[in-house]
Amino acid sequence: MAVLEIKTFPDKILKEKTSPVTEFGSGLQSLIDDMIETMYASSGVGLAANQVGAAKRVIVIDVSSRDENVPLLILLNPEIVLSGGEVEDEEGCLSIPGYRTIIKRAENVTVSGLDRHGKPVEIEGSGLLSRALQHEIDHLNGLLIIDRIGTIKREFFKKRYRKTVTSNE
Ligand code: NI
């Protein structure tokens, strides 16, 4: 297993559409293991494959730091099949280090997909799990948290973030 480099805004791969997984061989298995390792090394609660440079529909989530009853989740080709309620909470993203903002999301979601061996699974989530599922599926569709905030907030972010990035160089 290896810790991979996390692509950060404005890397183009974060905006690309990802492809469904159709093969479940050793290449995929090591990508998944590396993603898990990378998520833990960065203290994240979730990671999407395009964040580590692989444009495939793969996500990993571990919210056990907040809710110990939820196991590590590995989902391929995830789709939201049901959602309900609405809740606002603060969110960050490993691809936008140092930035946090309030995002409105569905309170509960049901997500269907495949496990790492291609077997169909369905996950129901509320709380942080629901938020993480929506956040990671957004990544697979080329969407970041800054695409979920208003225009004025986004312009402000772009100016400020560019300044922060420049001053770190
Ligand atoms: Ni993210």
Side-chain angles (χ1 to χ4, degrees):
M1 294 212 267
V3 174
L4 306 171
E5 184 205 342
I6 296 179
K7 309 288 181 188
T8 53
F9 175 86
D11 195 304
K12 280 198 192 73
I13 194 155
L14 298 170
K15 303 296 294 172
E16 274 173 30
K17 198 141 170 62
T18 51
S19 320
V21 175
T22 52
E23 291 190 21
F24 304 87
S26 59
L28 175 74
Q29 300 309 319
S30 50
L31 170 66
I32 291 169
D33 289 338
D34 291 349
M35 284 175 63
I36 294 167
E37 187 89 350
T38 306
M39 171 176 69
Y40 288 143
S42 330
S43 305
V45 296
L47 197 65
N50 48 337
Q51 288 184 278
V52 292
K56 287 186 177 153
R57 300 187 75 78
V58 180
I59 61 174
V60 296
I61 291 174
D62 190 338
V63 294
S64 60
S65 60
R66 185 93 68 94
D67 186 349
E68 59 184 19
N69 298 319
V70 182
L72 166 69
L73 289 175
I74 298 156
L75 271 178
L76 317 177
N77 307 344
E79 300 286 348
I80 295 171
V81 291
L82 213 65
S83 66
E86 207 172 64
V87 63
E88 287 189 330
D89 204 351
E90 201 180 55
E91 233 171 88
C93 179
L94 293 174
S95 291
I96 312 176
Y99 182 74
R100 295 187 70 79
T101 189
I102 299 283
I103 307 279
K104 192 188 282 180
R105 299 230 186 240
E107 198 172 359
N108 313 290
V109 289
T110 303
V111 173
S112 72
L114 304 173
D115 75 4
R116 68 187 298 164
H117 305 295
K119 189 180 135 223
V121 286
E122 200 167 80
I123 311 280
E124 276 179 42
S126 60
L128 182 59
L129 177 58
S130 168
R131 185 162 289 272
L133 283 163
Q134 293 171 76
H135 179 115
E136 301 313 331
I137 292 170
D138 267 0
H139 271 301
L140 300 182
N141 295 326
L143 288 173
L144 297 170
I145 50 175
I146 50 165
D147 299 308
R148 294 255 177 221
I149 58 181
T151 318
I152 294 168
K153 250 176 129 180
R154 185 161 53 242
E155 287 312 311
F156 185 72
F157 160 81
K158 280 180 182 164
K159 278 189 199 132
R160 209 183 55 165
Y161 197 75
R162 198 172 297 137
K163 216 175 277 172
T164 315
V165 170
T166 313
S167 65
N168 284 344
E169 281 168 4

